[in-house]
Amino acid sequence: MPGNVEESELVTTLSDEVWERWLRQTVAHGGRQSALLLLEGRAGTGKSRLVDRLLDSAEAGPRPRVVLTFTSSGVSLTHHPARVPRAEPGAAAVRERPDPVALPPRIHSDATALAGDLEPLLESGGPVLLIADDVHRADSAGRDLLRGLLEQPPAGLAAVLAYRPEELAEPGLVLGRAVAYPARLTVLRLRLEPLDADEVRRLVEDRLGPECCPPELVARIHERSAGVPQVVVDLVRQLEDAYGPRERYTAKDLDATGPPVRLAELAVGRLAALPEEHRAVARAAAVLDESSSAADLYAVAALPGAAGREALVASLRGAVLLESDRDLYGFPSPLAGTAVYDEMPGPLRQDMHRRAADVLAHRHPVPWARLAAHRHRGGQIRGWLKAVEHAAQQCAEAGAHQTAIDLLEQALSHPAVPRETRARLARLLAHSAVLGLHTDQTVQVLRQILDEQSLPPAVRGQIRLDLGLVLYNQAGRGLQGWVELEQAVDELAQRPALAARAMSALAMPVMSSVPLERNLHWLEKVQKMAAGSHDDEARTAVDANCIAVLLEIGDPTAWDVLERLRGQTDQTDRLPHVARGLVNAADAALWLGHLSRVGELLEEGVDVAVRGGAAYVEQDGRGTGLLLDWVTGTWDGLTARARAFVAETGVMPGPAADARIVLGMLALAQGEWQQMAAWLSGDGHPLPVGSPLPHVAAAAGALVRTALARGDLDTAASEAAGTWDRLRDKGVWAWAAELAPWAVEATARAGRRQTAEAMTAEFEAGLKDTALPSPLAALSWCRGILLETAGRPAEAVPHFQDASERYAEMPRPYAAILTAEAAASCVLGAAAEGGDGDPDALAAAVESLASCVERLTDMGAGWDAARVRATLRSHQPAAEQRPRGRPSYGDQLSPREQEVVDLASAGLTNREIATTLHLSPRTVEQHVSRARRKLESQTRAQLSRNRGTRGS
């Protein structure tokens, strides 16, 4: 394959280790021993890379290097004179001379002229390194020249012959016929193999970055490239060129770019070199798109045995095809076959697809998915639809729901599908859609099917049930899903098992904004129905939904239901339900503060989801894992992981909401308020009505807190009131935990004290007789805020301390730090108001604030750290404050200027910085001005970049 793979773009392989060992033992030895290395590798496997490394390697020693490069028009000779020996370490310093420059290459059209120039270079009296590249292109005279040289090698000759084995004139004979190697010549053959899956992963991640490379992308690159290094590199470059920098590349992105030009021209060029009568077998291989037997290739090519055999042998000799396994033949890489397929005339492709379908239809078992593809491309619509139906059932049984969805969506979008067939296929699509990954096309197709009046009620109800679940889970349209599910219950009156599934979904409070009483109504109905049911799978499905309901209303029997679910992982048909129950329990437990259970539930749930082929449940679990990392303070690399997850789940608002919450919260802690608003809504308002209420409450809490920090009390109180009303309408007060402290503070500081007290009382009443760690910690926080804002900071201290201890026990370190800060600030505030205080308590409070600064800094909460640091300065003992007078920092930033730069580069305005650091806007303006001069920045956006440059 023309062109070289850059060394920096490849991973170290076993071939590298063998080559380097040969180099050390032979070339760098410096003796009179002659050696030959046969460097064998198919197109694109990196021969030229190793040749270039050999030329540049210091281990080649001072010996001269002679390079022959064979081309279709002749051979070029390049002479690199011997390097200048380097002084030994510790020797007296001498002025070293530069290495001599290589002489310009000389082009020879025949071996006679080449021999005349080559002989004096090899007979120079000392060891010589001879490299012959692309030997497969040498003509007979060139091969004779090399053969004669190797049969009588000069003393100390180290020779490397690099070639493609598939393009040798005589297979297995590098120089056309056997060479009579003398006994004194050591000979080693090094075969360059394709990269394995892990090597491809390392290569792709090195170029794109690990966070941009989901496993399915790496697997697709490995499969389509067959591990050929040059093809891998070209595919990565195509992704970068086609899409530019992205958060995450997908397998679909890769498929859309097509075969790399370098590979396509090689594959099509090799095919074109065959006589026309020998090309049919290669084209048949391109249509079949998998390693195939000779008989199958002959059948698809419509060639009788003798003619087919002749064409297959010609394709193998011409390196168009290779024997991938004993008696199986295919292209060197699937993408090479795609390149050939793309150049085939349409009618020829269609005829071959029809013959391929006939071949596959006689296999046992029938590969229905592949058969469907051939029927479709062959224009055989009825056969295609039959194969799609069988393939979708087969895929669903194997847990490959996404493959089933892709097949069914394509089929149902075809205008020629009969009505009765559409109904059958729609049921299959709806079933797989619940467990697969949502697309808008799925929802559209299912709605169109439901609009058809000829569907029996039970069939309509089954499809509507699954549509309702997709709308809520994957599509993030909770209220629409609720409406569909209620209607499905009526339509499924004659199918109680399915009706129970719809009821159990309606029982889940997080499903919609309807009042909790309506959820509990459905919970009671479905529990009674399940108790009398003999359908084990239906009972499992009901349990999977009821776990979250029971947890969210504080019913401890939820854990008993969970254990009952865990005992059913040996039942394959129930795995998706078990996985859903485990992930539902993990999500509910996370918002409630039962964090010690969440990690284990997620690990088990995601594992069961993978085993059961429940792709959506697996992704939902991964989203909850991001939330767990956020609340437990596992922030290292969390932003990159969450951004990649958003990019991956962009078509599904449901799972993406988890990552958006995480990104918004991280941005808030870092002072990136514009980013925070963008992640949480995009327009500065809470998440849409259809979003899960726990997410809405958390987002609203962040927005209220931001408005408080800006001093915009009216906006903060209004934002708090709107979401509080939604929580009141729902009635699940445990979900108020992420909003309540900020809502109470905003309302109290806005002068609506009675309302703030009523909110706290309402929150407390909603938690009566429950043992929910996060909500109870938030309630203590609210009590402390009420006392603090009433001018009673000393009384607020124990409530803040109680909240901090509760958060630390879960553990929720960020919330624990914020409440510890509040407690310490109240101790210091009470002393300042009273003019006195216990010295030990004051010292402990200052020490606590200092600890908060350190811990916030370690977590990466830069804005919070700056804010607490400003509070700490105003309360430090005089002995610890800096002396009077302005110290000179020269052209370096002062600590205060550094804080201002950090906040300005995060996007905060001067007024917001002033509020954070307890300074006047004028003082902040002066700090920004001085920082710009020192950093030579003209705009606020340049501050952080220039600051990083000066510090490097």
Side-chain angles (χ1 to χ4, degrees):
M1 186 177 298
N4 297 329
V5 180
E6 296 177 15
E7 180 177 349
S8 62
E9 295 178 304
L10 287 182
V11 296
T12 301
T13 65
L14 181 61
S15 301
D16 294 288
E17 297 172 3
V18 174
W19 172 83
E20 288 170 356
R21 189 182 307 115
W22 179 86
L23 180 63
R24 288 193 301 270
Q25 294 176 351
T26 305
V27 179
H29 186 62
R32 308 293 289 177
Q33 176 72 41
S34 297
L36 169 64
L37 174 65
L38 298 174
L39 186 58
E40 175 178 301
R42 294 186 176 275
T45 50
K47 298 179 301 302
S48 296
R49 175 182 65 99
L50 290 183
V51 167
D52 290 343
R53 285 182 60 185
L54 181 57
L55 286 172
D56 295 337
S57 174
E59 292 185 351
R63 68 177 67 201
R65 289 149 293 159
V66 178
V67 182
L68 303 178
T69 303
F70 292 92
T71 68
S72 56
S73 58
V75 58
S76 71
L77 183 152
T78 306
H79 179 227
H80 298 257
R83 288 193 176 102
V84 176
R86 299 293 182 233
E88 294 292 332
V94 295
R95 184 174 181 179
E96 294 186 347
R97 291 180 290 118
D99 288 330
V101 179
L103 300 177
R106 285 169 285 176
I107 308 299
H108 299 80
S109 58
D110 59 76
T112 304
L114 172 63
D117 286 344
L118 181 61
E119 184 175 353
L121 298 178
L122 299 181
E123 299 292 345
S124 59
V128 176
L129 173 61
L130 171 66
I131 300 174
D133 198 10
D134 289 338
V135 174
H136 55 277
R137 293 197 175 106
D139 58 16
S140 59
R143 294 194 295 269
D144 289 343
L145 174 64
L146 291 175
R147 189 184 309 105
L149 180 63
L150 294 175
E151 290 180 347
Q152 295 182 331
L157 175 69
V160 177
L161 271 57
Y163 59 94
R164 297 177 184 173
E166 71 272 27
E167 294 187 22
L168 292 175
E170 292 294 334
L173 296 173
V174 180
L175 298 178
R177 62 175 188 268
V179 180
Y181 298 117
R184 59 190 174 86
L185 179 71
T186 62
V187 182
L188 173 68
R189 187 192 307 271
L190 174 60
R191 289 186 174 91
L192 301 184
E193 300 294 343
L195 303 176
D196 61 25
D198 187 60
E199 289 167 340
V200 169
R201 177 189 59 77
R202 285 187 282 144
L203 176 53
V204 175
E205 289 183 353
D206 183 64
R207 180 65 183 249
L208 298 178
E211 69 281 355
C212 298
C213 306
E216 60 269 19
L217 170 67
V218 175
R220 185 68 60 86
I221 291 176
H222 180 243
E223 181 261 326
R224 300 300 288 167
S225 69
V228 178
Q230 184 69 67
V231 180
V232 173
V233 170
D234 285 347
L235 286 173
V236 171
R237 288 172 176 164
Q238 280 193 174
L239 280 174
E240 293 177 309
D241 291 342
Y243 300 104
R246 300 185 77 168
E247 295 286 350
R248 199 171 181 87
Y249 298 93
T250 67
K252 287 186 177 180
D253 295 335
L254 180 79
D255 293 341
T257 62
V261 173
R262 194 193 319 266
L263 174 65
E265 290 191 356
L266 178 69
V268 175
R270 286 177 170 177
L271 179 67
L274 298 179
E276 179 61 39
E277 63 271 18
H278 290 162
R279 297 178 190 175
V281 163
R283 288 169 174 157
V287 167
L288 285 166
D289 195 25
E290 62 176 344
S291 294
S292 305
S293 67
D296 287 350
L297 291 172
Y298 304 161
V300 175
L303 291 175
R309 182 180 181 281
E310 184 178 341
L312 177 57
V313 170
S315 295
L316 294 170
R317 288 285 178 87
V320 180
L321 301 179
L322 56 80
E323 188 173 3
S324 58
D325 201 350
R326 186 168 298 278
D327 298 329
L328 292 178
Y329 307 93
F331 285 89
S333 69
L335 279 172
T338 300
V340 169
Y341 181 89
D342 290 344
E343 299 304 318
M344 291 173 59
L348 177 60
R349 282 202 307 264
Q350 189 174 66
D351 289 344
M352 284 195 170
H353 275 299
R354 290 178 176 180
R355 291 194 289 269
D358 292 339
V359 167
L360 296 185
H362 289 87
R363 289 186 183 174
H364 298 285
V366 177
W368 289 108
R370 298 187 66 83
L371 177 58
H374 288 298
R375 293 287 191 209
H376 185 226
R377 292 177 182 175
Q380 300 168 309
I381 301 302
R382 292 182 60 184
W384 168 50
L385 294 175
K386 177 183 176 182
V388 164
E389 188 169 358
H390 283 288
Q393 292 171 335
Q394 193 177 64
C395 290
E397 291 169 2
H401 292 285
Q402 202 56 44
T403 302
I405 290 171
D406 293 340
L407 287 166
L408 291 163
E409 283 185 346
Q410 183 185 38
L412 285 166
S413 63
H414 198 284
V417 181
R419 180 173 296 178
E420 61 277 9
T421 304
R422 286 173 63 81
R424 292 199 309 273
L425 297 183
R427 287 202 302 272
L428 295 173
L429 174 61
H431 170 69
S432 286
V434 172
L435 299 171
L437 304 180
H438 157 262
T439 69
D440 288 333
Q441 185 178 353
T442 300
V443 173
Q444 181 181 353
V445 168
L446 293 179
R447 286 196 185 281
Q448 290 174 348
I449 298 296
L450 290 173
D451 288 340
E452 297 177 2
Q453 300 303 315
S454 61
L455 289 176
V459 173
R460 186 185 303 278
Q462 182 179 355
I463 295 173
R464 197 181 302 279
L465 163 63
D466 291 331
L467 173 61
L469 295 174
V470 169
L471 283 170
Y472 173 73
N473 290 324
Q474 290 96 320
R477 305 177 202 168
L479 191 56
Q480 293 181 31
W482 173 277
V483 172
E484 297 290 351
L485 288 168
E486 277 199 319
Q487 192 170 346
V489 171
D490 294 335
E491 293 171 336
L492 292 169
Q494 303 304 314
R495 302 188 66 180
L498 290 177
R501 286 188 58 196
M503 291 179 189
S504 67
L506 291 168
M508 296 181 68
V510 77
M511 281 287 289
S512 70
S513 58
V514 302
L516 177 63
E517 289 76 10
R518 291 184 65 182
N519 299 122
L520 297 181
H521 161 76
W522 288 112
L523 176 64
E524 182 180 0
K525 289 192 68 171
V526 76
Q527 285 179 327
K528 289 180 179 178
M529 181 177 288
S533 173
H534 300 291
D535 189 321
D536 291 337
E537 184 182 356
R539 287 203 303 268
T540 302
V542 169
D543 282 348
N545 284 344
C546 289
I547 286 175
V549 188
L550 296 172
L551 283 173
E552 285 154 353
I553 63 176
D555 189 332
T557 62
W559 304 114
D560 297 329
V561 177
L562 180 65
E563 291 308 312
R564 188 163 68 231
L565 262 187
R566 280 174 158 160
Q568 301 180 54
T569 54
D570 58 340
Q571 304 292 322
T572 304
D573 59 336
R574 301 179 202 172
L575 289 180
H577 303 306
V578 175
R580 183 163 45 83
L582 291 168
V583 171
N584 285 347
D587 186 72
L590 182 139
W591 292 108
L592 301 177
H594 298 297
L595 302 185
S596 61
R597 297 177 180 262
V598 177
E600 180 183 354
L601 287 170
L602 281 179
E603 183 178 359
E604 187 177 357
V606 170
D607 177 67
V608 174
V610 171
R611 289 166 50 200
Y616 166 72
V617 178
E618 175 194 353
Q619 203 161 58
D620 196 32
R622 289 170 53 210
T624 302
L626 294 173
L627 286 170
L628 179 62
D629 286 346
W630 165 56
V631 298
T632 57
T634 311
W635 291 7
D636 188 28
L638 181 56
T639 296
R641 297 197 300 277
R643 290 175 72 95
F645 191 75
V646 169
E648 181 183 346
T649 60
V651 297
M652 292 187 297
D658 292 332
R660 295 181 70 88
I661 288 291
V662 168
L663 289 164
M665 296 303 186
L666 290 173
L668 170 61
Q670 293 157 2
E672 297 171 353
W673 292 353
Q674 292 180 344
Q675 281 288 315
M676 178 212 67
W679 283 121
L680 296 183
S681 62
D683 59 0
H685 297 289
L687 298 177
V689 174
S691 300
L693 200 48
H695 295 77
V696 173
L703 295 167
V704 170
R705 188 183 176 202
T706 306
L708 280 170
R710 290 185 170 123
D712 188 354
L713 298 182
D714 288 340
T715 297
S718 175
E719 198 78 72
T723 307
W724 198 265
D725 287 344
R726 293 178 63 180
L727 287 164
R728 181 186 295 115
D729 291 342
K730 184 65 191 182
V732 183
W733 285 106
W735 292 342
E738 305 307 314
L739 170 64
W742 310 115
V744 169
E745 181 176 354
T747 307
R749 294 194 187 282
R752 306 168 195 174
R753 178 154 196 83
Q754 288 186 339
T755 303
E757 291 173 346
M759 293 168 75
T760 304
E762 195 171 22
F763 187 30
E764 182 176 4
L767 301 179
K768 185 179 180 181
D769 299 328
T770 64
L772 306 176
S774 275
L776 292 176
L779 179 60
S780 291
W781 196 345
C782 291
R783 289 168 176 159
I785 289 170
L786 281 178
L787 292 166
E788 180 193 14
T789 54
R792 297 153 62 186
E795 296 176 53
V797 171
H799 295 288
F800 286 131
Q801 289 175 336
D802 177 67
S804 184
E805 290 169 2
R806 288 176 181 270
Y807 282 125
E809 186 178 354
M810 290 181 217
R812 288 191 59 172
Y814 182 56
I817 295 170
L818 295 184
T819 45
E821 174 211 342
S825 296
C826 282
V827 170
L828 297 172
E833 290 179 8
D836 197 3
D838 180 357
D840 291 339
L842 294 177
V846 170
E847 184 178 349
S848 176
L849 286 180
S851 173
C852 288
V853 171
E854 182 179 355
R855 292 161 65 195
L856 288 167
T857 301
D858 290 343
M859 290 185 72
W863 172 67
D864 283 299
R867 181 179 53 75
V868 180
R869 192 181 295 112
T871 303
L872 179 63
R873 281 201 188 95
S874 64
H875 292 286
Q876 280 181 322
E880 297 181 20
Q881 296 181 9
R882 66 175 176 82
R884 287 184 174 275
R886 182 181 300 279
S888 175
Y889 292 97
D891 66 348
Q892 300 299 311
L893 294 178
S894 71
R896 179 66 86 188
E897 289 165 351
Q898 183 78 68
E899 285 181 330
V900 171
V901 164
D902 289 338
L903 296 175
S905 62
L908 271 66
T909 66
N910 285 357
R911 185 171 296 278
E912 292 165 348
I913 296 172
T915 303
T916 298
L917 301 181
H918 308 312
L919 301 173
S920 70
R922 175 62 180 163
T923 301
V924 171
E925 184 179 336
Q926 292 171 348
H927 284 310
V928 171
S929 179
R930 283 195 294 270
R932 285 179 179 173
R933 287 198 300 272
K934 291 180 179 181
L935 299 175
E936 301 172 355
S937 301
Q938 298 303 311
T939 66
R940 297 167 70 89
Q942 292 174 313
L943 284 174
S944 61
R945 293 196 297 270
N946 286 345
R947 173 171 56 86
T949 301
R950 292 174 74 91
S952 62

